Amino acid sequence: MARRRSAAQAVVETVDGGLAELMPDPDRPRAWTLLVDGAPQSHVDLDDPAYLDFSYQRRLGHVIDLIAAPGRPLQAVHLGGGAFTLARYVAGTRPRSVQQIVERDAALVQLVRRELPLDPGARIRVRSTDAREGLAKIPDGWADLVIADVFSAARTPAHLTSVEFLEDVRRVVRPGGHYAANLADGPPLAHLRGQIATAATVFPELALAADPAVLRGKRFGNAVLVASDAALPVAELTRRIASDPHPGRVEHGRALADFTGGAAAVRDAAAVASPAPPPGVFR
């Protein structure tokens, strides 16, 4: 379907995953929100790639800031592209970083490249393939950071929720490197607890950041899981997330183990997609 523009200069186009909409931000002249089938996917400010509007992306930005000395280039893998928000953030805050984006929706990639072009000087490669297939092609120990933010019809696909998937993530992450994932769940938080148990079988150090209401099982929302084989910057991450415009909480250590509540790790054979958001959650 050919693109069409409204009087407000929104861009609407059918992509492989549904109906994509790029909506202009009325408060920021060159900023846009990407929605797919009505679900917000990304926010990008072309004038300020270091600006992160979504709370979960801001939390991932804190992770990016804290895992290495300020300004040090990273080798990063982004599973799920959206509007390339976090890849732009890494390129803007850590020049000379080398990044790979794996985004299955080739039509979405074309839309974003055309309407929200990347800085031509950024060292970012985009592959249009399945996240797990793309991950399998990355050499052992290549990445300082792997970020997973993959949703299809607002749900994380089942094959990206398993121990086997995370074992391949750990293969790609170099010693001392980090994995971060955007997870979504609501009461009774069975999916989120299972994902923590799954990550704990592969990585010895974990932390979870989310809105307190989400952690209490009061509403559906996003949670950022961070994992590594090295100690995590929990104290500074906690401070930053608590100071955000929408403050969050960080769980770690015994408190996180208690939150997990004995949930079982997920294997490929039993994996299911994350739960669908309840009706009206994005309104």
Side-chain angles (χ1 to χ4, degrees):
M1 170 180 167
R3 64 175 177 166
R4 60 183 175 84
R5 292 183 183 270
S6 72
Q9 295 299 299
V11 181
V12 181
E13 187 162 317
T14 299
V15 296
D16 300 338
L19 187 68
E21 299 172 88
L22 284 172
M23 306 299 295
D25 184 333
D27 299 320
R28 303 180 75 90
R30 297 186 68 225
W32 300 81
T33 298
L34 168 67
L35 301 94
V36 178
D37 284 345
Q41 299 288 320
S42 302
H43 180 279
V44 168
D45 188 333
L46 296 177
D47 289 333
D48 183 7
Y51 175 77
L52 299 175
D53 186 71
F54 290 1
S55 294
Y56 88 85
Q57 290 186 326
R58 187 182 295 270
R59 290 164 189 159
L60 286 167
H62 294 322
V63 173
I64 293 165
D65 292 345
L66 293 173
I67 63 171
R72 198 199 90 186
L74 297 177
Q75 294 189 177
V77 177
H78 303 264
L79 303 177
F84 312 156
T85 303
L86 291 169
R88 298 174 199 267
Y89 182 85
V90 172
T93 60
R94 295 180 176 276
R96 303 183 308 284
S97 291
V98 179
Q99 302 184 75
Q100 297 188 43
I101 297 172
V102 183
E103 170 55 61
R104 182 174 185 170
D105 194 327
L108 178 61
V109 169
Q110 292 176 357
L111 170 65
V112 171
R113 281 189 176 278
R114 184 183 70 233
E115 300 293 338
L116 309 175
L118 288 165
D119 180 343
R123 301 176 182 180
I124 300 173
R125 177 182 181 183
V126 185
R127 295 179 175 180
S128 295
T129 188
D130 173 78
R132 197 153 159 182
E133 292 177 5
L135 184 69
K137 297 177 181 178
I138 297 173
D140 294 3
W142 184 85
D144 297 296
L145 174 65
V146 174
I147 296 177
D149 186 11
V150 184
F151 288 85
S152 176
R155 304 176 70 185
T156 301
H159 69 300
L160 304 181
T161 68
S162 67
V163 169
E164 291 88 344
F165 163 65
L166 286 181
E167 286 174 340
D168 207 30
V169 169
R170 183 153 188 191
R171 176 191 63 78
V172 168
V173 174
R174 64 184 45 162
H178 294 74
Y179 169 68
N182 175 33
L183 308 174
D185 199 8
L189 299 179
H191 173 72
L192 184 56
R193 298 182 207 278
Q195 288 304 286
I196 298 165
T198 301
T201 68
V202 181
F203 291 97
E205 294 291 331
L206 303 176
L208 184 74
D211 186 292
V214 173
L215 293 175
R216 291 195 301 267
K218 299 295 185 181
R219 67 171 181 84
F220 190 95
N222 297 89
V224 169
L225 178 65
V226 187
S228 181
D229 64 356
L232 297 171
V234 175
E236 181 60 18
L237 186 63
T238 299
R239 187 192 70 78
R240 292 191 182 202
I241 288 175
S243 301
D244 277 342
H246 298 284
R249 195 170 86 216
V250 176
E251 298 287 7
H252 174 258
R254 180 58 185 269
L256 184 57
D258 290 346
F259 174 83
T260 306
V266 177
R267 294 277 175 179
D268 273 343
V272 296
S274 66
V281 72
F282 299 124
R283 293 178 186 171

